[in-house]
Amino acid sequence: MESDNDSGSEEINRRGFFRSVAGTTAAGGLSSLLAKRTIAQPTTANVNRSEEVFSYDPTADPDTTFPQSIMSGGPTDSGAIIWTRIAKTAYREQQSVGIQVARRSTFDDPVFEGTVEPTAVSTERDYTVKVDLDGELDADSFYYYRFIYGGVASRTGRLRTLPTTEQHVEDLSFAVVTCQDYQNGYYGAFEHIANEPVDYIVHLGDFIYESSDGAYVSPTEGIKEGRDFDLPSGASLAESLDDFRFLYKTYKSDSLLQSALERHTLIAGWDDHEIGNNRYWDYATDAPVVPNKENGSDPSAAVRITANGIQAWIEHMPMRVEYDPSKDDLHEQLKLWRRFEFGDLVDLVLTDERLFRDGPPCENRTVTCTNEDDPDRTMLGSEQKSWFTEVLSESSARWTTWANEVLTMPLTAGETWYQVEFLHDSWDGFQAERAELMSAVDDTGLKNFITLTGDLHCSMAGYQHAGYGDVSWNMDTVGIEFMTPSVTSVNAADVVDFPSDWDEEALAAIAKEENDHLEYVNWHKHGYSVVEFSEEECTYTVYEVDKEEDSAEAERDMLVQYRVPDGELSLELLSK
């Protein structure tokens, strides 16, 4: 599907209005616990062209005005959201932001031009600018865009709109990424992704890590050179809005990450570290719990921490989600789950597996933990679960794909009553709900169900079965799960000093012996994956990229490639 149309073979003469989601002021939620908040709300860009706004010095350094560069996300079949941030030192109260969109990167014949008024850029929204182009562009098309501010032009970005739901699509590709702890490695993987001929980037979460003291880095290596920083609050783990904003600004200042975000439109969810490790919802107190924070078990503090993390995510991630901070309940403020339809080829369903989930089934991961299969335990919450199963039943695309945060396949040792689950933070800790979802997949008769998963910092390929959680499982295969490795975050090889004879194959063999639904496992390598869909097959390719090298030339190697034929739900090894 990816094909660059920089040649400008088609022109659009109409001009339209930009709807910005940059922000103004609104009240914040859980009124008894949360103070008034300043949050982003829509404004409208002016299409009256001002030559002064669009005039710029071509020799000016864009990084001094746009230190986090630009990015796009939230694609529709008639637009996308484009994003930038103005440096505080470059900000001027009466300065408008110019926006240009064109089919050619030269911008010699823009299809749209507009301005964002000065009042839409301020400290209240961390000087971020988000402009929604929905309704203004053609379907299934590439466009180039840039921002102009104070006589300086940003770098040039490229966005892609979705095909229409009725459109016949022959092929589609995603670069799939997750878990990019800034302090544990460098972002060479993103430079390779920038050069991949993919259609979109799918990010499965942990875009930031909330730590400043290397809390999650390799214990044998420590924080990487040049990656040490202090949070504005001085805390080791982010809690304040300024802390969370600082993390996004720091991560997105990396030039290699910028390269990928400038080149490809992003579809992103989240996981736990956007707010706090292993976070969950306590339904007894009707408040979140952030267990690794000093005050994370106090409902009032946990609400403030979570709301701060959400606001920073909204400001810095141009995603098309339902968000209303005036609501009195965090669950009503944010609906992260959504569906992307790529013509008749792929339905992509993205879920939120953190804001609604119950806490761990037991305090310690031991054989005495027996309530992982409690039918009342939920990861999705009732409303989202109903939506999810309804979307599956409605899907008519050739491939139905789930952008899923944590491992659905079991990762266990032993059998029957002697079976031990190792990952209660994954779907192993929510067995009854997992069985319900997999049975729903089975009942729909979907012939091609593919799950894309992150979180575990390794690469995996395996089979999903109906009936998980029953004493006698229904072993019918209902789907294929592909896990993408972490970009930089610690994997097993970073943490454990394995015996010399425990190479990658030996360690993988241990997991596969106890879990025969696993076809492939690699605990050792960092990088990303590319998932491609066509009418004939889905392919999954894992690339290892050296996280130790802070360079666009960081070494890349292909680890493995699998093929899933249309209608067969079988894994065929293509290359290793």
Side-chain angles (χ1 to χ4, degrees):
M1 182 175 170
E2 209 270 7
S3 91
D4 201 318
N5 57 5
D6 194 17
S7 60
S9 59
E10 182 180 350
E11 297 182 359
I12 299 178
N13 295 318
R14 68 181 189 272
R15 295 175 183 264
F17 284 96
F18 293 123
R19 288 177 297 280
S20 169
V21 290
T24 58
T25 302
L30 283 178
S31 55
S32 62
L33 300 176
L34 188 61
K36 297 289 185 180
R37 307 180 61 79
T38 301
I39 304 288
Q41 294 293 336
T43 62
T44 301
N46 192 332
V47 296
N48 295 325
R49 195 182 197 284
S50 166
E51 293 297 334
E52 181 180 353
V53 170
F54 291 95
S55 298
Y56 68 94
D57 178 359
T59 66
D61 181 4
D63 295 343
T64 60
T65 299
F66 307 96
Q68 283 75 40
S69 193
I70 56 179
M71 63 186 294
S72 65
T76 68
D77 62 8
S78 62
I81 301 169
I82 57 176
W83 178 97
T84 194
R85 179 180 174 274
I86 308 300
K88 183 178 180 179
T89 54
Y91 171 70
R92 302 292 182 268
E93 283 190 6
Q94 301 304 314
Q95 180 66 54
S96 298
V97 183
I99 303 154
Q100 292 182 319
V101 183
R103 287 193 176 272
R104 291 187 288 266
S105 59
T106 56
F107 293 94
D108 53 350
D109 189 13
V111 298
F112 290 114
E113 290 182 329
T115 58
V116 173
E117 296 305 312
T119 54
V121 185
S122 70
T123 185
E124 284 78 13
R125 58 192 65 88
D126 203 22
Y127 308 102
T128 58
V129 180
K130 291 197 291 184
V131 176
D132 192 351
L133 302 172
D134 185 40
E136 310 299 350
L137 306 178
D138 282 355
D140 196 20
S141 299
F142 283 103
Y143 291 91
Y144 295 87
Y145 64 95
R146 66 184 176 192
F147 296 84
I148 301 172
Y149 188 81
V152 180
S154 72
R155 298 180 186 274
T156 296
R158 189 186 71 156
L159 66 84
R160 179 161 199 148
T161 58
L162 299 180
T164 65
T165 56
E166 300 82 10
Q167 187 173 335
H168 175 61
V169 176
E170 293 185 354
D171 56 80
L172 176 72
S173 57
F174 301 136
V176 186
V177 292
T178 192
C179 303
Q180 55 193 59
D181 187 349
Y182 182 85
Q183 297 193 312
N184 196 59
Y186 303 109
Y187 288 164
F190 282 110
E191 183 67 30
H192 288 288
I193 290 171
N195 296 312
E196 286 278 6
V198 296
D199 295 303
Y200 306 89
I201 297 175
V202 173
H203 202 299
L204 297 171
D206 290 347
F207 190 96
I208 62 166
Y209 277 64
E210 80 282 19
S211 61
S212 66
D213 62 351
Y216 305 108
V217 304
S218 168
T220 61
E221 298 180 7
I223 298 172
K224 299 300 180 188
E225 183 178 355
R227 299 296 216 188
D228 201 3
F229 55 77
D230 294 318
L231 294 172
S233 68
S236 60
L237 296 173
E239 295 190 10
S240 71
L241 178 57
D242 283 345
D243 285 347
F244 285 109
R245 285 170 164 174
F246 173 85
L247 288 167
Y248 283 101
K249 287 181 285 190
T250 300
Y251 278 52
K252 291 168 74 174
S253 296
D254 185 280
S255 62
L256 303 178
L257 175 58
Q258 288 176 1
S259 293
L261 298 179
E262 290 163 1
R263 183 69 177 170
H264 302 297
T265 293
L266 181 69
I267 296 170
W270 66 4
D271 198 16
D272 51 345
H273 287 286
E274 281 86 356
I275 292 171
N277 189 38
N278 293 339
R279 60 190 171 98
Y280 61 91
W281 193 269
D282 184 346
Y283 285 90
T285 62
D286 198 29
V289 177
V290 192
N292 68 329
K293 304 291 176 76
E294 182 177 353
N295 301 313
S297 297
D298 173 70
S300 178
V303 167
R304 286 195 298 271
I305 293 168
T306 302
N308 288 335
I310 290 173
Q311 179 171 343
W313 190 90
I314 290 292
E315 289 175 344
H316 285 267
M317 299 292 282
M319 298 300 113
R320 191 178 304 280
V321 299
E322 293 184 36
Y323 180 57
D324 183 356
S326 68
K327 299 289 187 182
D328 289 338
D329 189 320
L330 285 177
H331 285 162
E332 295 179 358
Q333 287 187 14
L334 178 67
K335 289 187 178 179
L336 192 73
W337 65 83
R338 56 209 190 273
R339 174 187 187 183
F340 298 86
E341 297 177 83
F342 301 88
D344 62 355
L345 186 64
V346 175
D347 277 352
L348 179 68
V349 186
L350 188 152
T351 52
D352 176 358
E353 296 168 18
R354 289 293 171 183
L355 193 57
F356 297 86
R357 69 156 59 204
D358 278 301
C362 56
E363 292 185 5
N364 300 305
R365 299 173 183 174
T366 67
V367 293
T368 60
C369 186
T370 58
N371 65 328
E372 307 98 322
D373 58 353
D374 184 335
D376 293 328
R377 287 179 52 74
T378 183
M379 189 183 292
L380 300 182
S382 59
E383 182 183 358
Q384 182 180 194
K385 182 167 61 176
S386 296
W387 170 86
F388 181 74
T389 55
E390 182 178 355
V391 167
L392 293 184
S393 67
E394 293 175 349
S395 178
S396 59
R398 185 176 298 269
W399 301 90
T400 303
T401 306
W402 181 16
N404 163 64
E405 291 164 39
V406 295
L407 183 67
T408 71
M409 296 181 294
L411 191 62
T412 65
E415 296 180 357
T416 62
W417 302 113
Y418 301 99
Q419 178 174 291
V420 178
E421 292 81 12
F422 295 109
L423 300 171
H424 291 154
D425 191 56
S426 76
W427 280 98
D428 271 346
F430 300 83
Q431 294 180 17
E433 187 169 65
R434 175 177 60 186
E436 185 179 354
L437 298 182
M438 292 299 102
S439 294
V441 175
D442 195 23
D443 292 343
T444 62
L446 293 172
K447 66 175 184 176
N448 293 320
F449 184 67
I450 303 292
T451 298
L452 309 178
T453 300
D455 178 67
L456 199 51
H457 305 178
C458 70
S459 46
M460 268 185 196
Y463 297 95
Q464 296 166 307
H465 298 303
Y468 286 143
D470 296 336
V471 174
S472 57
W473 286 1
N474 174 358
M475 296 302 289
D476 290 345
T477 298
V478 297
I480 301 291
E481 184 163 16
F482 292 131
M483 176 171 284
T484 195
S486 67
V487 175
T488 59
S489 303
V490 290
N491 58 23
D494 290 334
V495 176
V496 179
D497 184 15
F498 292 111
S500 58
D501 59 342
W502 281 33
D503 61 13
E504 295 175 35
E505 294 291 338
L507 189 59
I510 294 173
K512 290 163 66 177
E513 182 178 356
E514 293 289 340
N515 300 271
D516 57 10
H517 49 274
L518 294 179
E519 188 74 19
Y520 173 79
V521 183
N522 186 300
W523 301 102
H524 287 66
K525 303 301 185 183
H526 300 274
Y528 66 98
S529 62
V530 172
V531 179
E532 302 168 89
F533 300 90
S534 72
E535 296 176 277
E536 294 78 27
E537 62 189 5
C538 169
T539 60
Y540 161 77
T541 308
V542 181
Y543 294 100
E544 172 200 0
V545 182
D546 184 6
K547 72 176 177 66
E548 304 298 322
E549 184 178 352
D550 189 12
S551 166
E553 284 75 43
E555 184 176 353
R556 186 191 82 157
D557 293 303
M558 189 181 77
L559 282 180
V560 74
Q561 185 176 63
Y562 278 94
R563 170 181 183 265
V564 180
D566 174 40
E568 295 188 23
L569 288 179
S570 64
L571 285 161
E572 299 179 3
L573 181 64
L574 294 180
S575 180
K576 189 174 182 179

